């Protein structure tokens, strides 16, 4: 339940941030830019009727705004170094699709959301934290913390914490255990099954 | 009646002295009282008890030189006291240790107080310096726990934690199983036991304890310990969680050992006095004589204490036993004299004549006995064991002083106390016992056979190296030491001094390859093995955890609806985690107060704030070079002069002599200059054994020479010595079989027995030279030999009751030895008598 709730909230907050981020000038690399990309894609996806189209659109946005190889390395930890280039590519691709499918399944057009203001804070080693608060119709606001990293002229999302819960930590605990117990192919197969389940729910 | 063989000059001298004493008894008493007061004043003013046993062996020995070289190169790294802090959880123990360390640092007597988690640099580098497998385990556990920890930051109280667990309870998450198991375990005791988050997060040490190392001036001894104990008491009151702190390490072990030894010696002295009074009464049957005897012995004891104060200035662990030994030995003189006086009185002599004749009769043999006993004691002076040498000096002079007061004060007191024409109140009770064997040949053959058997058995005799085994087992410092031995903080480690980094690296590699070695700590300990990789791993961990650790966790008081949250948790877990749910239900039924809720919060979450703060510090690790480390940490491993210190940690607990010997032998095979406690124990054991072989041989040679000079017959000297040597091997055989292993304390028994037991041989031999002598045990000499042996035996047996195991085993071995030697003297010596033509 925590996993699902977290991912759903991640998606929702991503949708929220677009308006606030639009005011930052284009010329200066903006730590909040990747969040804005996801947000725009969510807004566009909301207009698409078919789940397939929504998934394709969001997958492109995820590939643009997330540092998928970096996130994959963090998720698989020491095991990442033992995989070959082909396995790296397969995992990165699967991770992008899982994130996109979760967005597609969880983002329902027309759901009312309110967003607090965005706070950007510098983190060590050229990273930044982008925080926004989700005002919920019921219950207290939930904090959304994106950890973004600058790569050249671009900022990309490495991790997102919803209510303090780290998406990378959740996936790492799940995938590394699966990797140790069942092997790499089972992990990728599991991720594909997760995509299919999410898309089926999004129908 | 006077044996013609006794030197006439000595006898005339004794007669003249005694006559002078008897003429002015009061003057003699007054002079003795004045001298006693002076001696007691000197003892009270100058005599202190020296707790430093490390210097008891000569500094000229190779390994002592190596130890001193290491201490000179690393002068600041000499912990005198170790505080073992224990609490319900590992984190609570560490928190208490940090609080206690801060409090101790403020104390003027403490030069340095150190605990790992109180040091900012070590906190920061903690994750950096973890062994790879520990780091992986910790990282994995932290990542698994991140959802819990992250959410807790948002609602830092029991209700928040309960809600989080309720949400997570429907997941079949293996990651949460240990948490639920720990909570169930916690609820199984009343009140709920603290949850050990270090165990859950994989950063646990072997036991819920932390260690504080204290440095302080050597001289402050007991004052430091008292100050540390006061600080512990104060911190226990002010600290939020309960903890226990016990002191061990060199200083507390020394102080408690000495206290036990001193108490043991006092107890032994009192027991000896009581036994001596009883035995004297049985032997003398005269209260006046008993009183005179006792006063004489106590005066002698006072004089000896005064001598010890002036000549040595202190008593050490071994010489503190001199009081009990002295009473046992000095009483021999008064027994021999009084028994003879009694015999003379019974024979119809008047008081003064009885006293004077008694002194003349036994005085010479008493002088000879004193010469042999003090020779045995002085033989200790030639050994490299200073502790024993000091006992030798004090006791050697002590027996001389004992003789002197017996020949001066005792006659004066007897003159004053006994009526002029007195007769003993009770007639002689001596029965006619023929102790001399009729079958001399059988005894001789038996003795030879017994000696052969004893030598064979004695080959099994062990020497117990570990001095901890001698210390009082119930002492706090000994128990804490024994407990630490089983942990990663085991105090028994070898140390090696290397002249350069290259030497250190080479030695480290060779030592690391040994079976008996778990690991070798060195300056490399401050440097991560693969720094860049570890930094990357720590950075990845920080990213994965997000900001979960960035903000310090501060627990809030449990909100009003906490009970509802716990009820919700209980019902949410009923299916997936029934054991936990049942335990929580029982707890909720039994505990209804707000106070109980607050206690449960402390038990479940109390560890977390400081543990997370520690891990957060660890996420800020840097790649430090040796030069970047603060001097006080760097200089533990590399001196400013470039010397390196290696610490060799044993693979197995060094809780037996075999384990200790194996470890030391293996380490020394690679690093012959290794020092440290285990090496010191073994080397000191060997040095002490050599010292005692020297002492025994010296005592034997000196006593043989003395006997030859005084007895003037090789045959007679042999007749005294053979039973003694037989007794010695029989004692060694008995010690091997019982077993009473030899150790640092009881090893003095052998040379000492030589000096004491030879007296009996001399008495018996001189008596036998008297052609008109009746059977031995019918004579005053025979009875005196038995009685004095019994009093000496009482003094040794009294030592056997000491809480100090070393001293107790010394008493046991001496008592056993005395009985064996006495039997040998009484049975074998007469059988060695040449056939009368």
């Amino acid at each position: 339940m925590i996993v699902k709730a977290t991912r759903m909230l991640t998606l929702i907050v991503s949708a929220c941030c677009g308006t606030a981020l639009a005011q930052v000038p284009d010329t200066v690399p903006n730590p909040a830019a990747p969040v804005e990309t996801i947000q725009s894609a969510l807004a566009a996806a909301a207009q698409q009727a078919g789940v397939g189209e929504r998934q394709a659109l969001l997958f492109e946005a995820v590939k643009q705004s997330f540092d998928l190889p970096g996130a994959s390395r963090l998720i698989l930890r020491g095991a990442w170094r033992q995989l070959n280039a082909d396995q790296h590519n397969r995992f990165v691709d699967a991770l992008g699709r899982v994130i996109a499918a979760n967005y597609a399944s969880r983002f329902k057009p027309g759901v009312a959301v309110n967003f607090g203001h965005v706070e950007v804070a510098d983190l060590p080693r050229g990273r930044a934290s982008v925080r926004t608060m989700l005002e919920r119709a019921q219950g207290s606001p939930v904090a959304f913390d994106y950890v973004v990293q600058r790569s050249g002229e671009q900022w990309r999302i490495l991790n997102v914490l919803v209510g303090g819960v780290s998406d990378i930590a959740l996936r790492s605990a799940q995938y590394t255990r699966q990797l140790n117990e069942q092997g790499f192919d089972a992990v990728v197969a599991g991720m594909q099954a997760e995509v299919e389940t999410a898309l089926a729910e999004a129908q | 009646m006077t044996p013609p063989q006794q030197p006439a000059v000595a006898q005339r001298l004794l007669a003249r002295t005694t006559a002078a004493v008897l003429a002015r008894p009061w003057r003699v008493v007054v002079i003795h009282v004045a001298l006693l007061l002076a001696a007691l004043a000197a003892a009270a003013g100058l005599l202190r008890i020296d707790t430093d046993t490390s210097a008891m062996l000569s500094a000229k020995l190779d390994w002592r030189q190596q130890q001193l070289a290491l201490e000179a190169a690393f002068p600041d790294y000499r912990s005198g006291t170790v505080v073992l802090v224990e609490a319900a959880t590992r984190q609570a123990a560490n928190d208490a240790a940090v609080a206690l360390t801060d409090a101790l640092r403020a104390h003027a007597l403490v030069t340095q107080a150190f605990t790992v988690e109180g040091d900012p640099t070590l906190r920061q580098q903690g994750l950096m310096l973890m062994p790879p497998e520990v780091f992986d385990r910790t990282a994995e556990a932290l990542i698994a726990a991140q959802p819990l920890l992250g959410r807790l930051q948002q609602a830092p109280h029991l209700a928040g934690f309960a809600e989080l667990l309720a949400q997570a309870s429907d997941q079949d998450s293996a990651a949460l199983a240990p948490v639920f198991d720990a909570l169930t375990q916690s609820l199984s005791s009343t009140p709920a036991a603290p949850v050990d988050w270090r165990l859950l997060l994989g950063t646990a040490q072997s036991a819920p304890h932390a260690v504080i190392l204290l440095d302080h001036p050597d001289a402050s001894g007991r004052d430091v310990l008292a100050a540390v104990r006061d600080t512990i008491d104060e911190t226990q009151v002010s600290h939020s969680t309960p903890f226990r702190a016990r002191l061990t390490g060199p200083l507390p072990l020394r102080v408690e050992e000495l206290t036990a030894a001193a108490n043991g010696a006092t107890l032994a002295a009192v027991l000896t006095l009581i036994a001596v009074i009883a035995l004297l009464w049985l032997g003398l049957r005269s209260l006046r004589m008993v009183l005179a005897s006792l006063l004489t012995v106590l005066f002698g004891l006072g004089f000896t204490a005064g001598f010890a104060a002036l000549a040595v200035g202190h008593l050490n662990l071994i010489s503190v036993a001199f009081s009990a030994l002295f009473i046992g030995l000095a009483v021999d003189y008064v027994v021999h004299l009084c028994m003879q006086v009694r015999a003379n009185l019974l024979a119809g002599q008047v008081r003064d004549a009885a006293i004077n004749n008694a002194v003349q009769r036994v005085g010479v043999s008493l002088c000879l006995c004193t010469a042999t006993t003090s020779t045995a004691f002085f033989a200790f002076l030639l050994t490299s064991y200073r502790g024993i040498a000091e006992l030798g000096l004090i006791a050697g002079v002590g027996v001389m002083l004992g003789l002197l007061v017996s020949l001066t004060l005792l006659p004066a007191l007897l003159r004053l106390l006994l009526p002029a024409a007195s007769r003993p109140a009770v007639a002689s009770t001596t029965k006619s016992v023929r102790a001399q064997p009729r079958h001399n040949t059988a005894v001789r053959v038996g003795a030879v056979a017994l000696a052969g058997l004893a030598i064979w058995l004695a080959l099994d005799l062990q020497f117990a190296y570990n001095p901890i085994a001698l210390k009082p087992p119930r002492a706090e410092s000994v128990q804490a030491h024994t407990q630490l031995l089983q942990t990663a903080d085991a105090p028994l480690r070898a140390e090696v001094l290397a002249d350069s980094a290259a030497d250190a690296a080479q030695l480290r590699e060779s030592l690391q390859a040994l079976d008996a070695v778990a690991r070798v700590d060195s300056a490399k300990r401050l440097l991560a093995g693969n720094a860049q990789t570890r930094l990357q791993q720590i950075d990845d961990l920080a990213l994965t955890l997000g900001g979960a650790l960035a903000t310090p966790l501060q627990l809030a008081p449990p909100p009003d609806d906490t009970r509802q949250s716990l009820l919700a948790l209980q019902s949410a877990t009923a299916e997936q985690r029934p054991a936990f749910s049942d335990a929580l239900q029982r707890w909720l039924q039994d505990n209804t107060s707000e106070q109980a809720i607050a206690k449960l919060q402390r038990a479940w979450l109390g560890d977390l704030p400081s543990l997370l703060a520690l891990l957060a510090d660890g996420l800020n690790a840097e790649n430090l070079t040796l030069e970047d480390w603060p001097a006080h940490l760097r200089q533990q491993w590399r001196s400013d002069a470039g010397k390196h210190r290696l610490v060799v940690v044993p693979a197995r607990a060094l809780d037996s002599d075999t384990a200790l010997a194996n470890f030391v032998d293996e380490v020394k095979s690679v690093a012959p200059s290794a020092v440290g406690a285990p090496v010191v124990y073994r080397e000191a054991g060997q040095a002490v054994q050599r010292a005692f072989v020297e002492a025994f041989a010296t005592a034997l040679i000196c006593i043989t020479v003395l006997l030859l000079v005084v007895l003037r017959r090789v045959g007679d000297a042999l007749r005294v010595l053979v039973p003694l040597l037989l007794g010695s091997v029989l004692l060694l055989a008995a010690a091997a079989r019982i077993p009473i292993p030899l150790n640092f304390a009881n090893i003095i028994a052998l040379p000492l027995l030589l000096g004491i037991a030879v007296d009996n041989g001399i008495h018996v031999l001189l008596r036998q030279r008297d052609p008109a002598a009746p059977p031995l045990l019918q004579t005053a000499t025979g009875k005196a030999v038995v009685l004095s042996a019994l009093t000496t035996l009482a003094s040794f047996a009294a030592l056997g009751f000491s809480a100090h195991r070393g001293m107790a085993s010394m008493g046991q071995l001496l008592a056993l030895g005395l009985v064996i030697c006495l039997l040998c003297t009484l049975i074998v010596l007469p059988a060695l008598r040449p056939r009368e033509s």
Side-chain angles (χ1 to χ4, degrees):
Chain A
M1 183 186 278
I2 284 186
V3 180
K4 288 177 183 170
T6 308
R7 289 178 195 157
M8 183 180 74
L9 291 169
T10 309
L11 183 73
I12 295 164
V13 82
S14 305
C16 310
C17 297
T19 46
L21 301 176
Q23 296 157 7
V24 181
D26 287 339
T27 49
V28 181
N30 182 358
V35 183
E36 181 192 355
T37 305
I38 286 289
Q39 174 57 34
S40 305
L42 284 169
Q47 309 302 318
Q48 301 287 335
V51 69
E53 290 83 358
R54 294 220 302 273
Q55 164 72 355
L57 200 151
L58 288 167
F59 181 43
E60 280 310 308
V62 165
K63 282 199 285 186
Q64 271 184 41
S65 53
F66 276 76
D67 177 0
L68 289 174
S72 301
R73 193 178 58 77
L74 290 179
I75 287 169
L76 291 185
R77 303 174 54 227
W80 178 254
R81 284 197 302 277
Q82 277 138 44
L83 301 179
N84 59 34
D86 177 53
Q87 287 170 318
H88 283 171
N89 291 337
R90 284 169 63 201
F91 188 85
V92 168
D93 183 70
L95 180 64
R97 287 177 196 282
V98 167
I99 294 172
N102 276 304
Y103 276 132
S105 72
R106 295 298 175 191
F107 184 73
K108 307 286 185 193
V111 174
V113 284
N114 294 308
F115 313 108
H117 70 283
V118 173
E119 287 174 27
V120 178
D122 286 340
L123 293 178
R125 299 186 177 90
R127 299 187 187 118
S129 160
V130 181
R131 163 171 279 211
T132 185
M133 303 297 288
L134 169 66
E135 305 289 344
R136 294 187 292 183
Q138 290 180 327
S140 52
V142 182
F144 287 76
D145 296 288
Y146 292 88
V147 179
V148 293
Q149 178 162 269
R150 190 168 168 176
S151 167
E153 289 302 302
Q154 267 198 311
W155 290 86
R156 285 179 186 269
I157 300 168
L158 263 180
N159 194 4
V160 55
L161 290 91
V162 180
V165 177
S166 155
D167 191 50
I168 297 269
L170 282 173
R171 291 188 191 279
S172 181
Q174 182 185 344
Y175 296 159
T176 52
R177 193 166 52 248
Q178 205 173 3
L179 186 68
N180 290 336
E181 289 168 4
Q182 298 169 325
F184 178 78
D185 290 339
V187 174
V188 175
M191 291 166 86
Q192 280 163 354
E194 198 180 335
V195 170
E196 281 160 24
T197 311
L199 293 182
E201 284 175 8
Q203 286 291 346
Chain B
M1 290 287 284
T2 307
Q5 293 86 347
Q6 287 193 5
V9 179
Q11 229 169 348
R12 276 202 302 276
L13 194 67
L14 285 171
R16 224 174 282 165
T17 313
T18 313
V21 167
L22 294 177
R24 296 181 184 82
W26 276 113
R27 190 179 290 181
V28 172
V29 171
V30 168
I31 290 171
H32 274 85
V33 169
L35 285 172
L36 180 69
L37 291 176
L40 291 180
L46 297 173
L47 197 60
R48 60 190 168 77
I49 292 190
D50 189 358
T51 58
D52 188 1
T53 47
S54 62
M56 281 196 357
L57 281 152
S58 166
K60 288 178 194 154
L61 295 162
D62 279 352
W63 58 273
R64 282 269 290 147
Q65 291 282 319
Q66 286 153 358
Q67 181 85 31
L68 291 172
L70 187 102
E71 285 172 11
F74 293 90
D76 295 331
Y77 188 68
R78 280 196 299 124
S79 162
T81 300
V82 176
V83 187
L84 173 61
V85 180
E86 292 163 287
T89 68
R90 287 145 184 85
Q91 188 58 36
N94 275 298
D95 293 348
V98 171
L100 190 53
T101 305
D102 287 343
L104 286 167
R105 275 201 194 112
H107 206 287
L109 283 175
V110 175
T111 28
Q112 206 176 32
F114 173 83
T115 190
V116 170
E117 294 189 3
D119 188 280
T121 318
L122 284 170
R123 285 175 70 88
Q124 179 197 293
Q125 297 301 102
L127 288 173
M128 196 75 183
L129 301 178
M130 268 182 186
E133 64 281 3
V134 179
F135 179 83
D136 286 346
R137 203 168 60 225
T138 305
E140 194 177 327
L142 269 175
I143 290 169
Q146 195 284 335
L148 279 179
L149 303 177
R151 279 293 296 277
L152 203 59
Q153 288 280 8
Q154 319 286 319
H157 44 64
L158 185 58
F161 185 60
E163 284 158 22
L164 194 63
L165 289 173
Q167 284 174 18
S169 64
D170 65 338
Q171 289 176 44
D172 184 22
S173 165
L176 282 176
V179 175
F180 277 105
D181 288 348
L183 296 177
T184 312
Q185 179 77 27
S186 155
L187 291 171
S188 67
S189 53
T190 310
V195 171
D196 198 324
W197 281 94
R198 280 203 171 206
L199 272 186
L200 287 174
L201 293 184
T203 62
Q205 300 162 331
S206 54
H209 75 244
V211 165
I212 303 173
L213 304 178
L214 297 180
D215 258 1
H216 39 66
D218 279 348
S220 37
R222 285 168 197 272
D223 295 341
V224 170
L225 297 188
V228 171
R229 289 212 163 88
D230 286 349
T231 312
I232 289 171
D233 291 346
E234 288 161 16
T235 312
Q236 276 172 330
V237 172
S238 61
H239 193 64
S240 56
T241 50
F243 68 91
R244 173 159 90 130
R246 286 184 288 165
L247 306 185
T248 184
L251 179 68
L253 281 169
R254 270 198 327 250
V255 168
E256 289 196 341
E257 176 174 30
L258 204 80
T259 307
N263 290 345
T266 311
L267 174 73
V270 171
L271 288 177
T272 304
L273 258 184
I274 294 169
V276 161
I277 292 170
L279 287 167
L280 284 176
W281 167 249
L282 284 176
L284 302 174
R285 300 291 170 127
S286 156
L287 275 180
R288 292 162 194 248
M289 276 197 185
V290 171
L291 181 64
S293 303
L294 269 183
L295 284 173
T296 305
V297 171
L298 292 178
F299 269 71
L301 187 61
F303 292 156
T304 309
F307 168 76
L310 293 171
V312 183
H314 60 255
L315 294 179
N316 63 44
L317 197 60
I318 293 181
S319 60
V320 81
F322 93 92
S323 55
L325 290 178
F326 178 87
I327 295 174
L329 294 171
V331 86
D332 285 7
Y333 304 135
V334 297
V335 163
H336 278 283
L337 279 167
C338 288
M339 289 295 276
Q340 194 59 52
V341 170
R342 184 169 180 276
N344 291 350
L345 290 172
L346 281 170
Q349 296 180 17
V350 292
R351 179 192 62 196
D352 288 7
I355 296 171
N356 204 332
N357 287 340
V359 172
Q360 287 182 57
R361 164 124 208 154
V362 297
V364 173
S365 53
L366 287 185
C367 289
L368 183 56
C369 292
T370 306
T372 53
T373 308
S374 53
T375 299
F377 277 124
F378 289 145
F380 297 170
L381 284 170
L382 300 176
T383 73
S384 49
Y385 193 1
R386 221 187 74 198
I388 291 286
E390 286 173 3
L391 173 68
L393 180 65
I394 294 170
V397 173
V399 290
M400 290 178 164
L401 291 170
L403 175 71
L404 211 59
V405 286
S406 300
L407 294 178
T408 52
L409 182 64
L410 183 65
L413 289 173
L414 289 176
R415 159 78 176 70
L416 292 172
L417 289 170
L418 295 179
S422 71
R423 291 180 70 86
V426 180
S428 170
T429 54
T430 308
K431 289 176 186 164
S432 180
V433 179
R434 287 193 65 85
Q436 282 162 285
R438 290 167 185 177
H439 308 290
N440 289 352
T441 311
V443 171
R444 288 177 202 178
V445 172
V448 171
L450 210 55
L453 179 69
I455 289 170
W456 180 67
L457 287 174
L459 293 176
D460 285 344
L461 189 61
Q462 302 285 320
F463 185 89
Y465 292 107
N466 191 346
I468 301 292
L470 307 184
K471 298 176 197 284
R474 282 193 293 277
E476 173 186 290
S477 56
V478 174
Q479 292 191 336
H481 174 92
T482 311
Q483 189 176 326
L484 275 176
L485 270 189
Q486 309 295 332
T487 72
D489 295 308
L492 292 185
R493 295 164 175 202
E495 292 178 78
V496 183
L497 187 64
D499 288 334
S500 65
D503 284 359
Q506 200 178 0
L507 273 169
R508 190 171 184 276
E509 199 175 323
S510 318
L511 287 163
Q512 198 87 63
L514 298 172
D515 270 353
V517 173
R519 62 167 206 275
V520 182
D521 289 340
S522 66
K524 278 191 88 169
R525 197 178 178 196
L526 301 182
L527 306 170
N530 196 340
Q532 288 308 328
T533 306
R534 180 56 62 84
L535 273 180
Q536 180 69 56
Q537 287 175 323
I538 292 173
D539 186 41
D540 289 352
L541 181 62
L543 272 173
T544 305
L545 297 177
L549 303 181
T551 321
L553 176 69
Q554 283 186 317
L555 293 179
D560 294 341
D561 61 354
T562 303
R563 195 171 176 79
Q564 282 68 38
S565 303
L566 289 170
L567 281 165
L569 172 61
Q570 186 260 316
S571 63
T573 50
E575 278 186 25
Q576 295 282 342
R577 318 226 181 237
F580 170 76
S581 182
D582 291 349
L584 183 56
Q585 187 175 25
R586 276 195 301 279
W587 188 89
L588 285 164
Q589 283 165 358
D590 297 343
N591 297 274
T592 51
S593 68
E594 282 182 19
Q595 214 178 0
I597 298 266
K599 275 189 185 165
L600 188 65
Q601 170 162 313
R602 266 205 301 282
W604 280 10
L605 305 177
D607 264 7
L608 281 174
S610 57
L611 176 57
L612 297 184
L614 176 72
L615 292 167
D617 286 350
L619 292 179
N620 296 324
E622 290 176 23
N623 187 11
L624 299 183
T625 66
L626 206 50
E627 306 308 322
D628 297 330
W629 279 84
H632 72 277
L633 293 170
R634 186 181 61 239
Q635 286 165 354
Q636 287 185 10
W637 304 106
R638 197 196 67 189
S639 72
D640 287 343
K643 302 253 187 202
H644 284 250
R645 175 172 161 267
L646 304 175
V647 171
V648 191
V649 182
R652 285 167 285 278
L654 301 186
D655 50 5
S656 72
D657 282 333
T658 321
L660 191 129
N662 283 346
F663 174 68
V664 172
D665 291 348
E666 277 203 28
V667 169
K668 293 208 88 167
S669 70
V670 171
S673 66
V675 289
V679 182
V680 169
Y681 293 172
R682 184 149 168 78
E683 294 283 354
Q686 286 169 343
V688 166
Q689 287 179 76
R690 277 196 303 274
F692 278 94
V693 171
E694 287 166 22
F696 188 80
T698 312
L700 191 62
I701 291 168
C702 294
I703 288 171
T704 308
V705 171
L706 249 173
L707 289 175
L708 286 173
V709 168
V710 175
L711 300 175
R712 295 184 191 169
R713 288 184 200 161
V714 176
D716 280 356
L718 283 178
R719 284 170 65 207
V720 175
L721 285 172
V722 166
L724 275 184
L725 294 176
L726 176 64
S728 299
V729 289
L730 284 175
L731 174 63
L732 291 180
R737 292 303 300 167
I738 291 175
I740 306 175
L742 292 183
N743 58 46
F744 289 98
N746 71 13
I747 197 165
I748 70 164
L750 281 178
L752 192 55
L753 273 176
L754 208 58
I756 295 168
V758 76
D759 293 0
N760 297 328
I762 291 168
H763 287 301
V764 173
L765 188 87
L766 290 181
R767 189 74 202 180
Q768 280 190 344
R769 280 183 174 185
D770 184 352
L776 180 67
L777 288 183
Q778 286 182 20
T779 64
T781 301
K783 283 179 277 178
V785 164
V786 173
L787 188 58
S788 72
L790 285 175
T791 54
T792 311
L793 187 65
S795 76
F796 293 161
L799 280 178
F801 290 102
S802 172
H804 187 276
R805 282 178 287 187
M807 193 174 278
S809 75
M810 187 208 294
Q812 290 154 4
L813 202 64
L814 279 170
L816 182 66
L818 193 66
V819 171
I820 292 175
C821 284
L822 184 64
L823 288 176
C824 286
T825 300
L826 290 178
I827 296 170
V828 179
L829 192 150
L832 300 177
R833 193 175 190 172
R835 279 195 190 127
E836 286 161 24
S837 52

